[in-house]
Amino acid sequence: CAAGLGSPPGARIVESDRIRKALHGVSAETRLPDEAYRPEVSQHVYADITRRSVLIAAAGGTVLADAVFDRKEDRDAIENAALTAGVPFAGFWLDAPAQVLRQRVSARKGGPSDAGPEVLERQLERFQGETSWRKIDAAFPLPQVVAALLSEVEALPASGPARPDGGPA
């Protein structure tokens, strides 16, 4: 998906799991203790996602910021930072029923995510209401979700950077 977005070589992925692991000085596949997920650590991780994403976008790159974004403050922060920097922003919320998410987390093997069933339940409880981000039905198999996401991205206006006041660039 990332390789087909933006100018070659494609979008850069800024991933919360990898940032958190780097913050703790371990490889992406190393499981972190619960203390690594304290609110103040997560606040630092999301601030870093926002900082890195805006730097890449301001340099002309395309960014996929990959994180749960279950807190409204985190969604608002990355969106506002992009608008303040004068770079385009499009937020996508991958939405799936809790049971589908539970099945996926239980079946997952390997990778940088430490999220197991307990973490998922906390994330589901923490989600703060509706989001203004475009919703993508993520209950389908991955190729269909990617196709839906790419379709939404292709439908975005190609008007260039947005101004902080929302007017045309």
Side-chain angles (χ1 to χ4, degrees):
C1 178
L5 296 175
S7 302
R12 296 278 311 269
I13 301 173
V14 179
E15 235 180 311
S16 63
D17 294 316
R18 291 183 186 279
I19 289 173
R20 190 179 307 269
K21 301 294 174 96
L23 179 65
H24 287 85
V26 300
S27 71
E29 291 74 26
T30 301
R31 185 159 182 81
L32 292 172
D34 287 344
E35 302 85 61
Y37 292 87
R38 292 185 322 266
E40 61 273 15
V41 176
S42 292
Q43 186 176 15
H44 179 77
V45 169
Y46 277 86
D48 199 28
I49 290 168
T50 297
R51 181 187 64 79
R52 291 177 189 216
S53 296
V54 169
L55 284 173
I56 293 165
T62 300
V63 181
L64 291 176
D66 177 10
V68 173
F69 285 104
D70 55 350
R71 292 173 5 106
K72 183 177 183 336
E73 302 91 74
D74 296 325
R75 293 189 302 271
D76 289 348
I78 196 166
E79 186 169 357
N80 291 334
L83 293 174
T84 299
V87 297
F89 176 84
F92 295 95
W93 184 262
L94 301 176
D95 195 36
Q99 190 55 36
V100 170
L101 297 174
R102 289 180 185 110
Q103 289 169 347
R104 288 179 180 167
V105 165
S106 295
R108 184 171 44 208
K109 292 178 178 61
S113 177
D114 290 337
E118 311 82 34
V119 172
L120 174 62
E121 293 306 321
R122 288 195 301 265
Q123 290 171 340
L124 291 170
E125 289 172 9
R126 220 176 23 239
F127 175 63
Q128 298 173 352
E130 287 296 311
T131 175
S132 62
W133 291 8
R134 294 167 181 86
K135 287 191 180 175
I136 304 291
D137 187 348
F140 296 101
L142 184 58
Q144 286 178 264
V145 175
V146 170
L149 181 58
L150 290 174
S151 176
E152 286 284 333
V153 169
E154 289 170 4
L156 293 172
S159 59
R163 292 192 330 222
D165 65 1

